[in-house]
Amino acid sequence: PHDLGAAEAQRRIAGGIAAARAQYGQHLGAVATDWQANRLSFQISALAQTIRGHVDVEEAYVELRAKLPLFIRLLAKRFVPVIETTGRKLLK
C-alpha cells in the first residue's frame, strides 16, 4: 500500500529501476521494461535464468507478480524481504 497516487508511485518505481540498473547492471544480462498505462512489464536475465513479470501500479497500492525459474525460486526466500523493503522505501 501507498498514499502517493499512481503517477507518483510510477515515477518513483521508474527511478528505482534506473538506480538498480546503474548499481547492479554488471551482474545482469538483458533487462527489458515496458510501461503500458499503469502496468510495468519486465524481463530480467541473471545467473543464466530469466525472470518475467509485471508490476501493477494503482492509486493506493502496488502489486508485483513474477514467474521465477526453479533455481531462482530456491533463492527467493532471501530476496523477497529485500524487494519488499526496497519497495516500501521507494513508496514512502
Side-chain angles (χ1 to χ4, degrees), residues 4-27:
L4 301 171
E8 178 62 15
Q10 274 185 283
R11 187 189 70 72
R12 290 185 186 196
I13 290 168
I17 291 168
R21 277 184 174 166
Q23 185 172 358
Y24 301 109
Q26 71 274 13
H27 302 293

Side-chain angles (χ1 to χ4, degrees), residues 36-90:
Q36 293 197 10
N38 67 334
R39 174 171 277 197
L40 169 65
S41 297
F42 63 87
Q43 179 174 317
I44 302 168
S45 296
L47 303 172
Q49 306 288 310
T50 300
I51 300 168
R52 291 179 180 86
H54 61 268
V55 178
D56 290 318
V57 181
E58 301 296 336
E59 287 297 316
Y61 70 92
V62 172
E63 181 177 75
L64 175 123
R65 293 194 177 254
K67 293 180 183 179
L68 304 176
L70 178 60
F71 178 72
I72 301 293
R73 259 185 273 153
L74 296 173
L75 300 173
K77 287 183 182 179
R78 290 183 175 178
F79 295 113
V80 168
V82 172
I83 292 168
E84 288 176 341
T85 301
T86 303
R88 285 188 182 103
K89 287 179 184 176
L90 279 173

